[in-house]
Amino acid sequence: MEVVIAPGAELARLAADAIERVVRGRAADGGRAVLGIATGSSPLAVYDELARRHAEEGLSFAGVRAFMLDEYVGLPADHPERYRNVVEKEFASRVDIDPADVHGPDGLAADIPAACAAYEAAIADAGGVDVQILGVGTDGHIAFNEPGSSLASRTRIKTLTRQTREDNARFFGGDVSQVPTHCLTQGLATIMSARHVVLLASGKHKAEAVHQLAEGAVSAMWPGTVLQHHPHATVLVDEAAASRLQLASYYRETFAAKPGWQGI
Ligand code: GLP
């Protein structure tokens, strides 16, 4: 696992660089990149940077396929906080990706287990995810894999913790009762199947989750710790989110000495 400590704008550039490399690389080979996209505040600066590169530098997402991490169960199709609508607003509508190539778990499905299995099959049919963007919850969840999630889990329904619903109430007018109680989420094993995982975290409220994720014992109690088993996981954090890292000096020295061509 590589940990990079840098100001937020630089973190967004590094994540955008990783995405641009795979998008251009696949296109040059006549293929189609597969992106794993996340909601929450953490990736927003990355989407801003990708939209800028699309507008100003000709970075095209034509042919790119995107798979969302998770979705609330039961939010009406036109609800602004339905993750599909959030992804449309924050990312898809700002670049030239075909809306039909943006996929997410169906939180309105009548047959939820079938919808989850279909989602896993769609990711596999696309050839798997090249770069997966991730955030982390204050309780250490990634996607919506709450503490206690199986490290071998696949896309399924989960119950949200009180903590997560309180954290996300800010998107629902501060009213926790408006936050759905259930979600569909890629499992930890689904996320682990991505070829490169790029996790972003900022702010002091993420410091403990980041410390556990990078330096704690691998445990279902801190689901993000499963990424310690990933062969190519990059953790991009600002100073505040890095404030509890025991090996912060080592991460800084390592990144400062890294050859520029290597990327993340
Ligand atoms: C939600 C999402 C996660 C996200 C987390 C952190 O629970 N399902 O994918 O990582 O929030 O969100 P934020 O980046 O806003 O702190």
Side-chain angles (χ1 to χ4, degrees):
M1 178 178 285
E2 177 178 35
V3 180
V4 180
I5 304 166
E10 189 179 340
L11 302 178
R13 278 197 298 276
L14 288 168
D17 287 349
I19 291 173
E20 175 165 359
R21 198 174 316 118
V22 80
V23 166
R24 289 195 190 277
R26 290 270 179 206
D29 292 344
R32 305 173 66 186
V34 181
L35 303 181
I37 48 178
T39 49
S41 329
S42 305
L44 293 179
V46 181
Y47 300 146
D48 289 345
E49 177 63 10
L50 292 174
R52 189 196 66 74
R53 293 183 191 192
H54 171 64
E56 296 175 13
E57 297 172 6
L59 176 61
S60 174
F61 293 80
V64 169
R65 285 169 292 189
F67 288 89
M68 295 162 45
L69 279 172
D70 45 13
E71 182 59 275
Y72 290 114
V73 168
L75 280 188
D78 61 352
H79 195 291
E81 292 307 323
R82 188 176 173 231
Y83 278 171
R84 169 161 286 273
N85 297 333
V86 171
V87 159
E88 170 68 17
K89 174 169 169 263
E90 304 292 354
F91 173 64
S93 65
R94 303 167 71 194
V95 298
D96 59 344
I97 192 168
D98 183 340
D101 285 326
V102 180
H103 305 275
D106 182 2
L108 291 170
D111 184 341
I112 283 182
C116 293
Y119 195 59
E120 286 283 330
I123 296 171
D125 286 350
V129 170
D130 290 310
V131 185
Q132 175 65 59
I133 298 296
L134 279 181
V136 62
T138 55
D139 63 1
H141 72 248
I142 55 173
F144 267 139
N145 292 281
E146 298 284 29
S149 290
S150 162
L151 303 184
S153 51
R154 290 279 168 182
T155 303
R156 69 217 183 287
I157 190 168
K158 286 291 285 183
T159 305
L160 297 173
T161 61
R162 180 80 195 179
Q163 170 81 62
T164 296
R165 293 179 66 231
E166 282 171 3
D167 286 351
N168 288 2
R170 68 190 192 279
F171 297 115
F172 293 82
D175 182 357
V176 72
S177 74
Q178 297 301 306
V179 184
T181 53
H182 291 80
C183 63
L184 304 187
T185 180
Q186 286 191 27
L188 293 171
T190 320
I191 294 166
M192 287 292 285
S193 303
R195 286 179 276 281
H196 184 193
V197 174
V198 179
L199 183 144
L200 295 114
S202 56
K204 195 139 195 108
H205 60 304
K206 297 291 177 72
E208 177 66 11
V210 166
H211 161 61
Q212 292 290 342
L213 184 136
E215 299 175 334
V218 175
S219 162
M221 284 304 287
W222 290 94
T225 56
V226 73
L227 297 176
Q228 292 176 29
H229 282 290
H230 197 286
H232 191 185
T234 310
V235 175
L236 303 174
V237 289
D238 70 0
E239 292 289 342
S243 58
R244 297 212 49 195
L245 288 172
Q246 290 171 6
L247 300 182
S249 308
Y250 174 67
Y251 305 139
R252 283 184 224 279
E253 284 165 22
T254 304
F255 190 66
K258 192 173 183 180
W261 53 263
Q262 211 170 10
I264 56 172

